[in-house]
Amino acid sequence: MRKWICIICCLFILSGCVEKRIIDELNIAVATGFDPDTSDEHLLKTTFLMQIFNKEMSVENKTVTTSGDLRRETLYKANRQSPSPIVVGGLRLTLYNIAIAERGLTPYVDAYQRDASIGKRIYFATTDSSTEEILKGEYGPQGNGTFISDLIDHNIEYGDLPKTNLTLFMRDFYQEGKDVFLPHIKKINEQEIELDGISLFKDHASYKILPSDKLFYFKLLVDRYSKGDFAIDLPDGEKLAIKSIHSSHKYKLDTNNPTNITIKIKVQGNIKEYSGNNLNDDKIKEITKFIDKKIKNECTALIQSFQEDNVDPIGIGKEYSTKIRNFDYEEWKKGYPDLNIKVDTKVVILDIGTSI
Amino acid sequence: MQSQTIPNNLKISPYLVFYVIISMQIGIGVLGYQRIIADYAGHDAWISILILGSYIHLVLWMMYKLCEMVNGDIITVHEFLFGRFISKVVSFAFILFYIIYLLSFILNFIEVIQIWMFPDINNFVFSLFFLLLSIYIVYGGLRTVVGICFFGTILPVYLIFTFTFTLKYADFTHLLPIWEHNITELLQASYHMSLTSVGFEAILFIYPFINKPEKSKKWAHIGVATTTIFYTVLAIIAFSYFSKKQLENTIWATLSMWQMVQFPFVERFEYIGVANWCLILLPNICLSLWVASRLLKRATKLKQRKGAILISTIAVIIVTLFEKGVDIESFNNIVEQMTVAFVFVYIPLLYCLSLIIKKVKT
């Protein structure tokens, strides 16, 4: 009896019953880009970027562009131009032309959420130029998809870009009381590309680009720094660079009058470079005070501009909903532009390096 | 009243009950219970798990009392209380219960595999192999089945650590303000949590096989407490990881959280997670099969081995004929109502009844 069971098992196992996918016989898309089709406004132009690994260890960028109505439909069509099936399991990046983002990203989210084969760590980004052009450039030996996603990756960890990826985008997308934002990428020429700021969204549609010089203050408000750099012009004409910035922020609601909210920002860092010559205690105190004021003013200005535009990328509405029972978001939203939001900063300079 | 005598060499040590309870409670429901309970009690739903957990302790205590009364399993209890005929009828009800229970595991798991890994996996082939393996284990007797329960608990334990990856993206302010939902909503969530939490009722059937059963009580309660804490922690992690409306759109929250896990050698962890889930399901299916075939043996004098084959054949046929997707939803609802009725309503009622009947008889 047992012998027979074994034989029958072997028969079935050896025959194989699910579809096999051999990695050498697939085209793995690493990045996609969405552009509006100029011929018909309902159609999308989708670019898939595949990496082809050559024998000489170099990576060749191959793009396929198709147009269609649905996101998936463009993938089927793209397969007609590809020698082997294109799969989206290895996707690392999706670029949106700003014209697409201005129409709203709602129709795009569904495909990324429903398809279990797409990872949740991929990056979304917007761009002014056509995404097809961007994906067709030649930026580095590692291939364009990896290049751009690494660019975003290290700017999140060391730079001024707040944490972002598909998971966080989805979370904020569905969150009441927080508007989404995405990194914005600019193409300089065929070989170069740069992070040009952040595109802010209002009701799931992009409406404004926040320039990169405001990013430091924006990140202080929405995220926290663990490692970061920052340079500032002092009023006496000297310049100062600060490194290893740590920051955190906290919200404090006035219990008597809930329209008053204070955001407390704490920043710590080390001075790395100073163009003046004598950095004594008094000078450090003066510098600290100046930076303190600068951050406070810039952050307050940012918040005021958000209130004027009635957008909430910082998530103040979400903060209210965690502090107030039976929170009515719609009601709160009407009063948002009139909220009295104060910024309270505390800057600490931990050390000044090896020279005075 | 006749109490069965089980030879000592077929009995299991009391501490093994701990593994039986945990491996039976943790099944397919863990992959997606967070959305279901959050539909009713939002971010407060973790409180519902604790409420249900304490009720389970009470029910477990009653189960032990019932079994202690006759020093036998639940069928002996019925025989003692209502006579032989009723006990036979109840046996068949339980056999049906366990077949449906077993089916719910296989069907839900096949659905998960189809959506997450292999869209074209065949219902028939998969269930055939899984049940062949289960029959083989059941042939070894209860001690082998309990051994599988032990390994089905210990080996997948490492999966717990993978959830620490999601902590980096967790936002615990999602849980505030605590206690925003009223008690009815919390209890509704508890009700829908029950299908995920059942399985501990297996104790009613393996009781005669436990060596020194009074010592196993402690382990059974520790087991139930462990799963309750595990479910609560996992729910809190999911609530902090997903925003409210996002969770409403996520069917398998646990699996979706794994999409965030990355190791240098594994790009996508959910595939390993789903594959590992086979090991977690195996004790569930084996013990269900064992209980069903054992009841069949007691009721009809059919040999347990033949009973196991008969039940598996029925299961394979039903799984093969099952229509995909839509049916599973309504099937799960039926299973949920059935388990709630049996475990959480019938057992306490039976316990109260037994107290009265015992008084009358003496």
Side-chain angles (χ1 to χ4, degrees):
Chain A
M1 178 68 196
R2 217 170 266 180
K3 204 158 95 196
W4 278 109
I5 289 179
C6 283
I7 292 169
I8 292 170
C9 283
C10 288
L11 275 178
F12 275 104
I13 290 167
L14 294 177
S15 67
C17 49
V18 286
E19 183 198 345
K20 274 180 287 187
R21 287 182 155 189
I22 296 162
I23 197 156
D24 296 332
E25 292 166 10
L26 291 175
N27 253 331
I28 300 171
V30 285
T32 56
F34 293 110
D35 287 311
D37 195 327
T38 38
S39 59
D40 185 345
E41 61 173 296
H42 295 294
L43 290 183
L44 274 174
K45 222 162 77 180
T46 309
T47 309
F48 294 92
L49 171 72
M50 273 83 67
Q51 288 180 342
I52 297 167
F53 295 93
N54 292 330
K55 279 185 190 133
E56 309 85 57
M57 308 284 285
S58 62
V59 180
E60 194 185 310
N61 298 305
K62 163 121 181 76
T63 55
V64 171
T65 307
T66 53
S67 62
D69 207 351
L70 278 170
R71 265 59 58 195
R72 269 271 159 184
E73 183 190 349
T74 56
L75 178 60
Y76 299 139
K77 282 189 181 166
N79 273 320
R80 293 180 200 155
Q81 299 179 25
S82 162
S84 44
I86 298 175
V87 290
V88 289
L91 215 56
R92 302 187 60 171
L93 175 76
T94 295
L95 294 175
Y96 294 96
N97 186 290
I98 198 76
I100 293 275
E102 276 164 4
R103 283 190 220 156
L105 288 188
T106 316
Y108 299 85
V109 167
D110 183 75
Y112 284 86
Q113 189 173 337
R114 199 172 294 282
D115 190 343
S117 70
I118 297 178
K120 288 288 183 285
R121 281 182 312 264
I122 71 173
Y123 293 120
F124 276 9
T126 59
T127 168
D128 274 333
S129 41
S130 123
T131 63
E132 189 185 351
E133 303 259 297
I134 286 200
L135 293 178
K136 272 191 172 155
E138 287 292 338
Y139 308 115
Q142 65 268 62
N144 293 345
T146 316
F147 185 93
I148 302 172
S149 69
D150 284 353
L151 175 92
I152 297 174
D153 200 46
H154 90 87
N155 271 298
I156 290 173
E157 190 151 358
Y158 303 104
D160 295 334
L161 195 61
K163 230 190 255 172
T164 168
N165 61 27
L166 181 58
T167 301
L168 297 176
F169 179 81
M170 291 289 188
R171 179 195 288 174
D172 293 345
F173 186 85
Y174 286 112
Q175 178 80 48
E176 257 182 7
K178 190 164 195 275
D179 286 310
V180 290
F181 53 82
L182 289 177
H184 188 71
I185 283 170
K186 198 169 103 184
K187 185 175 181 178
I188 302 170
N189 56 41
E190 279 306 311
Q191 279 87 37
E192 284 174 89
I193 199 164
E194 80 169 345
L195 190 67
D196 192 38
I198 270 184
S199 54
L200 298 170
F201 283 65
K202 184 180 185 175
D203 301 328
H204 302 162
S206 165
Y207 88 105
K208 189 179 166 186
I209 311 287
L210 192 72
S212 49
D213 57 328
K214 301 276 182 219
L215 276 189
F216 175 75
Y217 308 103
F218 186 70
K219 184 163 176 174
L220 284 179
L221 286 169
V222 298
D223 198 359
R224 51 193 194 66
Y225 272 94
S226 51
K227 306 158 192 141
D229 290 292
F230 171 58
I232 194 167
D233 294 330
L234 295 177
D236 54 5
E238 304 289 358
K239 284 192 174 186
L240 183 82
I242 300 178
K243 72 159 191 172
S244 345
I245 292 179
H246 281 255
S247 85
S248 61
H249 63 262
K250 249 193 230 159
Y251 294 87
K252 202 151 185 198
L253 214 65
D254 190 339
T255 38
N256 298 324
N257 185 1
T259 55
N260 292 331
I261 186 166
T262 312
I263 306 176
K264 289 191 165 176
I265 301 176
K266 199 177 161 190
V267 185
Q268 291 181 331
N270 306 334
I271 294 180
K272 188 168 67 173
E273 197 180 332
Y274 176 58
S275 60
N277 36 26
N278 209 349
L279 205 56
N280 54 26
D281 280 356
D282 287 342
K283 191 79 191 162
I284 292 172
K285 239 177 230 167
E286 197 188 310
I287 290 170
T288 312
K289 219 170 173 185
F290 177 74
I291 299 174
D292 207 295
K293 212 170 151 197
K294 172 95 176 159
I295 291 178
K296 193 172 171 173
N297 288 344
E298 290 281 353
C299 288
T300 314
L302 268 183
I303 292 172
Q304 265 165 9
S305 74
F306 294 151
Q307 279 182 303
E308 276 162 27
D309 298 336
N310 204 1
V311 289
D312 185 10
I314 305 169
I316 293 172
K318 181 186 158 197
E319 203 54 41
Y320 268 92
S321 75
T322 63
K323 298 226 159 100
I324 294 175
R325 263 160 215 283
N326 303 320
F327 176 71
D328 184 356
Y329 177 66
E330 294 304 321
E331 198 58 37
W332 178 87
K333 183 101 195 179
K334 282 178 205 151
Y336 171 64
D338 305 319
L339 281 184
N340 183 14
I341 306 169
K342 266 206 295 197
V343 179
D344 204 2
T345 49
K346 192 182 172 198
V347 177
V348 181
I349 294 205
L350 293 171
D351 69 60
I352 55 166
T354 51
S355 68
I356 290 180
Chain B
M1 171 193 137
Q2 58 169 86
S3 79
Q4 317 157 255
T5 43
I6 309 291
N8 255 345
N9 63 347
L10 292 182
K11 287 188 173 176
I12 58 167
S13 304
Y15 77 92
L16 284 172
V17 169
F18 173 75
Y19 298 103
V20 173
I21 298 256
I22 289 185
S23 61
M24 279 303 276
Q25 278 196 292
I26 296 179
I28 196 79
V30 195
L31 298 179
Y33 69 100
Q34 295 98 332
R35 173 186 63 105
I36 301 167
I37 55 175
D39 268 357
Y40 295 90
H43 58 264
D44 284 329
W46 58 273
I47 303 172
S48 313
I49 303 176
L50 292 179
I51 295 174
L52 184 73
S54 26
Y55 185 54
I56 288 176
H57 277 291
L58 184 71
V59 175
L60 187 68
W61 178 80
M62 289 175 181
M63 287 177 173
Y64 264 101
K65 283 277 168 212
L66 280 171
C67 291
E68 270 172 7
M69 186 175 73
V70 294
N71 195 22
D73 62 6
I74 188 77
I75 305 300
T76 325
V77 172
H78 281 89
E79 216 172 293
F80 171 68
L81 293 177
F82 312 113
R84 175 153 285 188
F85 178 71
I86 300 273
S87 87
K88 278 251 163 88
V89 175
V90 169
S91 294
F92 281 107
F94 285 153
I95 293 169
L96 199 65
F97 174 84
Y98 270 95
I99 293 175
I100 291 174
Y101 200 59
L102 185 150
L103 282 174
S104 82
F105 283 118
I106 298 181
L107 286 170
N108 280 297
F109 192 52
I110 288 177
E111 199 194 2
V112 169
I113 295 177
Q114 279 170 342
I115 287 173
W116 287 83
M117 288 173 84
F118 305 115
D120 47 3
I121 197 167
N122 189 308
N123 280 13
F124 170 72
V125 177
F126 181 80
S127 57
L128 180 73
F129 280 118
F130 218 94
L131 284 164
L132 273 179
L133 180 62
S134 310
I135 291 172
Y136 179 59
I137 293 165
V138 169
Y139 270 24
L142 182 69
R143 287 171 67 100
T144 318
V145 173
V146 173
I148 292 295
C149 289
F150 174 78
F151 284 115
T153 314
I154 291 297
L155 293 181
V157 150
Y158 80 96
L159 289 177
I160 292 175
F161 300 107
T162 58
F163 293 110
T164 51
F165 280 81
T166 53
L167 290 180
K168 193 177 161 194
Y169 295 92
D171 181 355
F172 289 102
T173 57
H174 289 174
L175 296 170
L176 297 170
I178 294 169
W179 216 283
E180 209 181 15
H181 297 77
N182 60 35
I183 196 78
T184 355
E185 285 167 330
L186 289 178
L187 289 178
Q188 265 178 326
S190 291
Y191 170 79
H192 289 281
M193 184 67 203
S194 55
L195 182 57
T196 311
S197 295
V198 291
F200 62 96
E201 75 279 2
I203 211 76
L204 288 171
F205 304 96
I206 65 163
Y207 184 87
F209 287 86
I210 305 170
N211 207 352
K212 300 191 191 116
E214 66 286 350
K215 274 196 179 164
S216 72
K217 258 187 191 178
K218 177 180 79 183
W219 292 107
H221 282 281
I222 294 175
V224 167
T226 312
T227 29
T228 306
I229 290 166
F230 171 69
Y231 283 151
T232 313
V233 171
L234 196 58
I236 287 175
I237 291 176
F239 295 157
S240 55
Y241 181 75
F242 298 104
S243 59
K244 200 175 156 223
K245 282 208 180 124
Q246 189 187 10
L247 188 58
E248 280 170 23
N249 285 303
T250 310
I251 301 178
W252 288 284
T254 307
L255 286 175
S256 293
M257 285 197 288
W258 270 334
Q259 287 190 301
M260 210 61 215
V261 180
Q262 190 185 28
F263 294 106
F265 50 94
V266 182
E267 177 77 15
R268 302 281 293 284
F269 191 79
E270 67 268 23
Y271 291 97
I272 293 184
V274 171
N276 246 292
W277 222 257
C278 261
L279 200 59
I280 292 172
L281 284 192
L282 190 61
N284 284 292
I285 290 173
C286 289
L287 202 59
S288 305
L289 190 62
W290 182 86
V291 170
S293 55
R294 157 126 192 117
L295 291 178
L296 201 61
K297 179 190 165 192
R298 285 196 66 188
T300 62
K301 303 276 181 275
L302 185 75
K303 274 201 166 166
Q304 188 162 5
R305 293 184 166 205
K306 282 184 181 157
I309 293 177
L310 180 71
I311 290 162
S312 308
T313 316
I314 296 171
V316 170
I317 292 170
I318 297 177
V319 170
T320 314
L321 295 178
F322 222 81
E323 296 246 348
K324 274 181 200 170
V326 195
D327 281 0
I328 293 183
E329 190 85 5
S330 47
F331 179 74
N332 283 346
N333 283 336
I334 295 169
V335 180
E336 185 173 76
Q337 284 160 7
M338 205 179 69
T339 47
V340 170
F342 167 45
V343 181
F344 296 112
V345 180
Y346 178 67
I347 296 290
L349 279 179
L350 189 69
Y351 177 69
C352 299
L353 210 62
S354 76
L355 290 182
I356 299 168
I357 292 179
K358 227 162 65 178
K359 273 255 167 70
V360 175
K361 277 199 175 177
T362 46

